Amino acid sequence: MRSAIQAACCRKKRGGWDFESAGVIEAEHSVLVCVDIDTVWRYVKDMQRWAALMPGYRECMVIDANDSRWTLKVGVGGLVRTVKVLVHVDEWREPACVRFSYGLEGDPVQGGGSYAALRKGGAETEVVLRVTVAGSGPMAPMWEAMSRPLLPKLAKSFAEKLKAEIESAPAGSPIWKPI
Amino acid sequence: MLRNLPANWDLETGLVAIGSGIGGLSSAITAHDHGTSGLVLERSDQVGGVTALSMGEVWVAGNHHAAALGLEDSAESGFRYLKRLAMGYGNDLAILNIVVHARHALRYFEDRIGLKMEVIRDCPDYYYRATNDGVAEGRMLEVVPFPGAALGDWQSKTRLSPQMPYGLTHHDMFARGGVANLMKWDFALMGERLSKDERCLGPGLAAYFVKGVLDRGVPLLTGASAEELIGDGERIVGVRAKKDGKDLFVRADRGVVIAASSYERNQDYNKTLSQQLELGSMVFSTVDGSNFRLAAPFGARTARVPDITSLGFNVAGEEDEEGKPLWRSALPVIGQPHTIVVNRKGKRFGNEAFYRSFYYTIDIIDGGNQTHPNFPCWAIIDSQVREKYPFGPITPGQDWPEGLGAVAGSISELAGKIGIDAKQLEATIAAFNSHAEKGEDPDFGRGTHPWSVWMCGDPFHKPNPNLGSLVKPPFYAVELKRMGGTAIPSTGLLTDHHSRVMGWDDKPIAGLYAAGNSAARMETGAVMQSGMSNARGMTQGWLAARHAVGNPSGLLPEEARRLGL
């Protein structure tokens, strides 16, 4: 079920997304970050930081302002697989919304997602991360089956790490320092 | 006997199991249920052992599940079947011992720990039709999916397999055409099982036994490496283990069961005990021959049976949990249609769809020129495979990974890229194709074993599920590397019918037992049958504990007399 915050974010500009497609697996996770929305935005506006929060992060190569190539080690069962992910930001809407899409290099797997933020009082921000994945080609159902248990864990891990990273920065410190 | 008692014991228990695969866990459970405390030492951080890496098959002749389905079988028939496979390299009493006890051990664990097993329908013995005692189905069992959440805190510490599709049962896979027909599998079901962590195959089998130990409150110590057995001059009375860098002396009043698998990750042992060179391995690094190092100071006898060298390959970017390149077995792919394996002369050299025949040819030595004529070797496939079948982890529609072998538009170009004789490879493929179209392989009889169809054939492919021509470019060649047989060893500790480890004086070493792949395969001899490793682990662990607690089985002498052995 998509949250109201996410729905608001996605309604503004749907772009090439199709959340209702058959076979698309999606996961959503929300966290309450104890800093104001502008501070959160200063952190998330750098896509390199997103990559660094991903489980199994190895490397992020920035291609341009909206495109990057992430190298991740993904664990499935006892298997650890290195995947390269091309990430494109479809929309930056300061300070409340980011929409992105991605594809795996060499594997018929694509997806998208969004970051949505909502002011909650003076110094709190609710952040909702949503991510979708879909396979393509003859083995699409297999890729989706393998993604199904991973995606909720990924969304949760990412959102929790994002919260921890932002909140752990000392008051007044430049949390957007280069990584 | 060695007397190396410590000044003090850190822990005292009845029976110590070294290893947390099915052999160690079954012994700890059995000891507990006979009123004796137990403890399991596991060297790695995860429990479940090699059992959890397996397909989870358990071969039990004359079992009650088959009987309930009306499938005719008997222990005698199972004995004759294994005796034929052993080719005289096994021991008749060892064969009979496993056959007569496996079905009782199965019942025992079903009753005691809630183990749920069922017949893998339509799964034949390897040698069904080759011998009257092979069956079309009934002996190969697998678990009903196990709910991983039932393991509680041990859920994430109970091993999963990086290679096996443990979200599906054998039945789920093979009812839809088997491994070759991956595209037809029910992935919605697989996704649901993976999401709920419902474990099938080896991970499921191991999980049932881990749960059995947890339910009994038997301590499972992970990261605890058994370093040395302790003797009091007359019997084995304990173990010195290392945990967190410190010695831990564990007294075992009733005995110690070595169930620490074999030595596949020890290249020195592979060479000197199995005569196998530089093996890749699908198992984890603690499978390094600790069974021998522990038992040798007490005069334990080893025994060896003939063995095969398996074949496998790596795909860039895939690793196991220890960060080592992940090994993929060639077994499920080289017997698919439109696939052959050739040596450096560009010639086929066996029935690729029946590994228990084919893999004996890998290490043949040509003494005339000091070479292995069939190694190195390459799997050759055409684009029909890429369109229809998986090749290891590479599925139809997926890009061919960079660096995995060679790709070419013609057979001669492919031969040039891998450095083998182009004209001979063309001739080999032309001959194979002409016969394959008729569903025949006059050279090696590929496609004649029902098990080949089940394991690596495409039952929807006509006229023969294991034979299809290589005609559609581009063509692919993947060099296959030597690989171990997932810790099923040629050499192990020699045990008697109570799983007691024997000394070179032909007397059992009091207080010392071995189960599963730590023990010599005297019940299989020359040729292995799938499902035997898990069956012997379960059965030998059960027998060891029964003897250790003073309730040894008396079934073997009765059955031996009945059969006139």
Side-chain angles (χ1 to χ4, degrees), chain A residues 73 76-83 105-108 136-139 141-150 153, chain B residues 160-163 166 182-183 187-188 190-192 194-195 317-321 326 328 387 393 395-399:
Chain A
K73 283 197 174 186
V76 186
L79 164 67
V80 179
R81 188 153 178 260
T82 301
V83 296
E105 280 188 0
D107 295 330
S136 61
M139 295 307 298
M142 183 195 80
W143 293 103
E144 286 153 13
M146 292 173 68
S147 303
R148 188 180 293 275
L150 283 179
K153 291 178 191 164
Chain B
L160 294 168
S161 165
Q163 289 98 354
Y166 57 85
L182 182 75
M183 288 167 70
F187 288 108
M190 184 192 221
E192 192 181 328
L194 292 177
S195 296
E318 288 195 328
E319 296 174 2
D320 61 23
E321 288 185 310
L326 188 78
R328 296 282 184 174
E387 290 163 9
T395 56
Q398 191 178 357
D399 292 350

Side-chain angles (χ1 to χ4, degrees), chain B residues 116-175:
Chain B
K116 292 190 177 78
M117 303 209 76
E118 56 191 6
V119 169
I120 305 173
R121 297 309 306 260
D122 301 318
C123 178
D125 284 346
Y126 280 171
Y127 293 91
Y128 169 56
R129 286 193 188 151
T131 157
N132 287 337
D133 288 302
V135 300
E137 60 177 338
R139 291 174 180 164
M140 293 280 268
L141 307 175
E142 68 173 330
V143 293
V144 172
F146 178 88
L151 295 166
D153 292 344
W154 287 84
Q155 185 173 6
S156 62
K157 289 192 280 187
T158 301
R159 199 176 283 282
L160 294 168
S161 165
Q163 289 98 354
M164 303 301 172
Y166 57 85
L168 295 174
T169 64
H170 284 73
H171 175 76
D172 297 330
M173 291 182 270
F174 292 95

Side-chain angles (χ1 to χ4, degrees), chain B residues 225-557:
Chain B
S225 171
E227 298 288 317
E228 181 184 23
L229 298 180
I230 308 292
D232 66 0
E234 294 182 3
R235 57 181 285 121
I236 302 296
V237 294
V239 181
R240 178 175 67 84
K242 267 286 196 233
K243 183 163 172 60
D244 302 325
K246 294 178 182 166
D247 280 337
L248 185 70
F249 289 94
V250 185
R251 178 172 171 160
D253 290 337
R254 310 308 290 262
V256 174
V257 181
I258 300 177
S261 196
S262 60
Y263 51 90
E264 189 171 298
R265 290 293 298 269
N266 186 324
Q267 298 293 2
D268 183 19
Y269 288 10
N270 287 332
K271 183 163 78 172
T272 56
L273 296 174
S274 300
Q275 288 74 62
Q276 292 173 313
L277 302 174
E278 288 304 313
L279 295 184
S281 177
M282 293 168 70
V283 304
F284 38 89
S285 60
T286 56
V287 181
D288 68 352
S290 62
N291 53 331
F292 299 128
R293 294 193 296 278
L294 288 165
F298 293 88
R301 182 177 165 187
T302 58
R304 181 176 187 270
V305 297
D307 201 13
I308 55 173
T309 293
S310 299
L311 293 172
F313 58 97
N314 309 115
V315 176
E318 288 195 328
E319 296 174 2
D320 61 23
E321 288 185 310
E322 296 176 332
K324 299 284 192 305
L326 188 78
W327 282 84
R328 296 282 184 174
S329 171
L331 188 159
V333 298
I334 58 177
Q336 293 179 151
H338 320 296
T339 305
I340 59 171
V341 177
V342 298
N343 58 22
R344 69 170 75 82
K345 288 187 174 175
K347 292 183 176 178
R348 292 177 65 220
F349 51 93
N351 174 0
E352 299 95 331
F354 197 62
Y355 82 103
R356 277 288 157 189
S357 161
F358 189 62
Y359 283 173
Y360 284 101
T361 65
I362 301 302
D363 280 337
I364 288 174
I365 291 174
D366 183 339
N369 57 17
Q370 300 85 52
T371 63
H372 294 102
N374 299 327
F375 195 87
C377 58
W378 292 262
I380 311 289
I381 65 173
D382 80 350
S383 288
Q384 295 174 89
V385 171
R386 297 280 293 118
E387 290 163 9
K388 295 190 288 186
Y389 307 133
F391 189 90
I394 309 151
T395 56
Q398 191 178 357
D399 292 350
W400 188 255
E402 275 183 41
L404 181 63
V407 185
S410 69
I411 294 296
S412 59
E413 184 189 352
L414 190 73
K417 285 190 172 183
I418 60 176
I420 65 176
D421 185 281
K423 287 205 182 312
Q424 180 57 57
L425 183 61
E426 285 179 326
T428 296
I429 290 176
F432 178 80
N433 287 352
S434 69
H435 295 302
E437 285 164 10
K438 292 180 274 186
E440 297 168 353
D441 177 25
D443 293 334
F444 301 108
R446 176 166 156 179
T448 56
H449 285 277
W451 184 84
S452 294
V453 179
W454 187 84
M455 184 65 221
C456 51
D458 172 4
F460 305 115
H461 180 81
K462 306 295 179 195
N464 188 311
N466 293 110
L467 294 167
S469 56
L470 289 80
V471 291
K472 187 171 182 179
F475 300 94
Y476 301 78
V478 175
E479 184 173 356
L480 302 176
K481 305 288 179 61
R482 288 188 177 100
M483 198 178 79
T486 53
I488 301 170
S490 63
T491 303
L493 299 170
L494 187 67
T495 56
D496 73 357
H497 57 294
H498 296 301
S499 305
R500 290 180 293 186
V501 175
M502 304 298 290
W504 287 100
D505 58 2
D506 288 337
K507 293 175 184 166
I509 299 170
L512 184 60
Y513 304 84
N517 287 332
S518 285
R521 292 195 285 114
M522 303 313 292
E523 66 291 313
T524 56
V527 180
M528 186 73 187
Q529 161 67 46
S530 186
M532 276 301 293
S533 286
N534 287 327
R536 63 202 288 268
M538 175 181 73
T539 307
Q540 290 171 337
W542 178 71
L543 287 168
R546 285 191 56 176
H547 186 273
V549 302
N551 181 28
S553 170
L555 204 53
L556 181 66

Side-chain angles (χ1 to χ4, degrees), chain B residues 29-30 32-35 105-115 212 215-216 542:
Chain B
I29 291 165
T30 306
H32 176 277
D33 288 2
H34 283 78
L106 172 66
R107 280 268 201 192
Y108 182 88
F109 291 110
E110 287 179 328
D111 291 344
R112 298 297 181 115
I113 67 170
L115 174 67
D215 285 347
R216 283 157 177 76
W542 178 71

